[in-house]
Amino acid sequence: MNVSDILAKGSFSKKDIVKLLEAEGEDKILLFKKSAEVKEKYIGKKVWLRGLIEFSNICGKDCLYCGIRKGNKNLKRYNLSDDEIIAAAKFAYDNRYASIVLQSGELESASVTNRVENLLYKIKEMSGGKLGITLSVGEQESEVYRRWFEAGAHRYLLRIETTNRILYSKIHPINKKHDFDRRLQCLKSLQDIGYQTGTGVMIGLPFQTSEDLADDLLFMNEFDIDMCGMGPYIEQADTPLIIHSDKLLPINDRFDLALKMTAILRIMMKDINIVAPTALQAIDSVGREKALKTGANILMPNITPGKYRDNYRLYDNKPCTDDSAEDCQSCLEARVSLADTEIIYGEWGDTKHYEKRLQAAGGRLP
Ligand code: SF4
């Protein structure tokens, strides 16, 4: 079957997705045209903001690709004070971002649970309940997720990184702390509790195949996610995975694959939220705009106080680490209009997908 026939179908098989991922020339143009049409029909030109607060780069885990892994000694660790976090959240609220993401390295402890819970109550109080809050603080017990949900978090982003178990074990230490099944269980708990649940993968990892990426997309569809944050794998010099750099696709091919993944996911899951990741901008100065044109509809401007940003070094050449939150805002507006899209201020921008799931469950999930 050719690309045009595949795109005309209502759903994709693994073989179809592989063919789309390998599309070049006219076929690639057809794919991006189709995903742009689907986005225009189901999402329109709207882009919603999530002010990103990277509140701590202290992590208890050692993922082999990650620059803030516990074992990296070449990094200054930081932990924002509660006041700094609330001030960043207030910046988002005052500038009508409507939503923030609280992100950090992964730590599981009673003090972390209490701290995040307190922050959630304080941010809700500061904004009169109006600021939407996404958490991205890793694997936790389901009781912890429940407490945070009750304290006001309503979205959670937990990337699976890859759904191929063998590949997962190549990019993580093999031990209980880095267990694929626990990651899956956490995602299930989040969905059961009622969070808008997001996941995502790295694209262009060493050892990764087009078949793996096709499986990743099928997983997201089957799991019925509400949000996706995925982007190209970019090496970080202080990580163990750097020794496999010789097995990587050229960086521009990883970029291209990330755009194709975004396009295919948009066609498969028409009404979910898809982030245009900053990692694309690290490769191409208009990378995020290209993602917005191809199917993404969420931007996550970094509103972490500038002095800390350079130390949230998930990968090398991370852009905008020197900008202030104000600089980010004016730059984003220009970029978004370049992509013929429009930032919607003052709206949470929850997905229609989630609303449908909620209605189907009689107004309360699970
Ligand atoms: S990917 Fe997340 S859990 Fe793994 S080392 Fe980095 S911050 Fe920690």
Side-chain angles (χ1 to χ4, degrees), residues 20 29 33 129 172 185 195 220 242-243 245 290 347:
L20 294 175
I29 293 170
K33 187 164 172 274
H172 294 94
Q185 186 50 52
Y195 281 94
M220 291 184 219
I242 198 80
I243 60 166
S245 294
K290 288 182 179 172
E347 275 185 18

Side-chain angles (χ1 to χ4, degrees), residues 59 61-63 65-66 68-70 104-106 161 314:
C59 186
K61 289 173 81 169
D62 255 323
C63 307
Y65 48 84
C66 178
I68 68 170
R69 62 199 299 271
K70 187 180 176 193
S104 71
E106 184 176 314
E161 306 298 3
L314 300 175

